[in-house]
Amino acid sequence: MRLENFKFEPSFTEINFQERHLDLHNFYTFIGIKHNLDSKRAWLLYRKIDEEFVQSKYPKGISFLFKNVSKIHRRNADSYYTPEHLEKDNNCPDLMGFSYEGDAIMDGPTSHQNLNGEFNSLIFTFVTGRSIKVEAETVELVVVENAR
């Protein structure tokens, strides 16, 4: 998979976009995923949280736009999460990065780089253990100013 306009940081929680480091784990919450089978596109949508420590320079919303999507894998939250924690934490991003194809490895990224082009998937995990893995050709980061 090729990243069009951003890079993952070695922390697996931040991305470098337009010379800004966006910390998805501390500054954003996951809104949802949209998948259009006809256009082979998928969007993972995030909204900036409303907390004083989050600087105004960060975009209100961002979307990972995947093109030529071949497969999307999902894993549910870990069973030991209590309902009250699950409701609060289910959309809190944890780690993200490159991964191998398929649903065998769904607990975290393998690398923050794709130097040899061996990875065709990106995985996004959440603090609850839930994860989404997208197999696609390319992905770009898009600013979404009206994220809700």
Side-chain angles (χ1 to χ4, degrees):
M1 180 178 302
R2 188 176 71 250
L3 306 181
E4 296 276 326
N5 61 349
F6 70 95
K7 292 180 182 178
F8 288 110
E9 294 294 332
S11 67
F12 293 106
T13 62
E14 297 176 306
I15 54 175
N16 186 323
F17 174 66
Q18 297 178 343
E19 300 189 26
R20 290 184 283 186
H21 293 274
L22 304 180
D23 182 343
L24 266 65
H25 177 71
N26 290 307
F27 298 163
Y28 287 86
T29 189
F30 179 71
I31 300 173
I33 182 171
K34 294 181 182 178
H35 185 199
N36 185 307
L37 294 171
D38 294 333
S39 68
K40 293 186 176 183
R41 290 181 175 216
W43 298 261
L44 267 68
L45 307 163
Y46 291 81
R47 179 184 62 233
K48 184 171 68 172
I49 62 173
D50 188 22
E51 296 288 343
E52 282 186 30
F53 63 86
V54 181
Q55 299 174 11
S56 61
K57 69 178 181 178
Y58 294 109
K60 291 179 182 175
I62 57 173
S63 175
F64 292 90
L65 168 57
F66 294 88
K67 298 174 186 171
N68 202 16
V69 174
S70 58
K71 189 82 172 173
I72 297 176
H73 305 278
R74 298 170 195 246
R75 183 176 98 171
N76 291 329
D78 293 328
S79 61
Y80 58 81
Y81 254 83
T82 60
E84 62 271 8
H85 286 104
L86 190 60
E87 185 177 321
K88 185 179 113 202
D89 296 339
N90 201 37
N91 291 326
C92 181
D94 192 19
L95 305 174
M96 62 193 156
F98 290 98
S99 184
Y100 293 102
E101 291 179 349
D103 62 355
I105 301 173
M106 292 294 290
D107 57 352
T110 303
S111 178
H112 71 282
Q113 303 178 79
N114 195 10
L115 298 177
N116 300 322
E118 63 186 308
F119 301 112
N120 292 323
S121 300
L122 290 184
I123 188 166
F124 298 80
T125 66
F126 302 87
V127 297
T128 59
R130 180 169 71 117
S131 60
I132 300 171
K133 184 188 286 186
V134 181
E135 296 176 16
E137 197 171 291
T138 62
V139 61
E140 72 177 283
L141 196 71
V142 178
V143 172
V144 182
E145 287 301 328
N146 61 349
R148 298 177 221 182

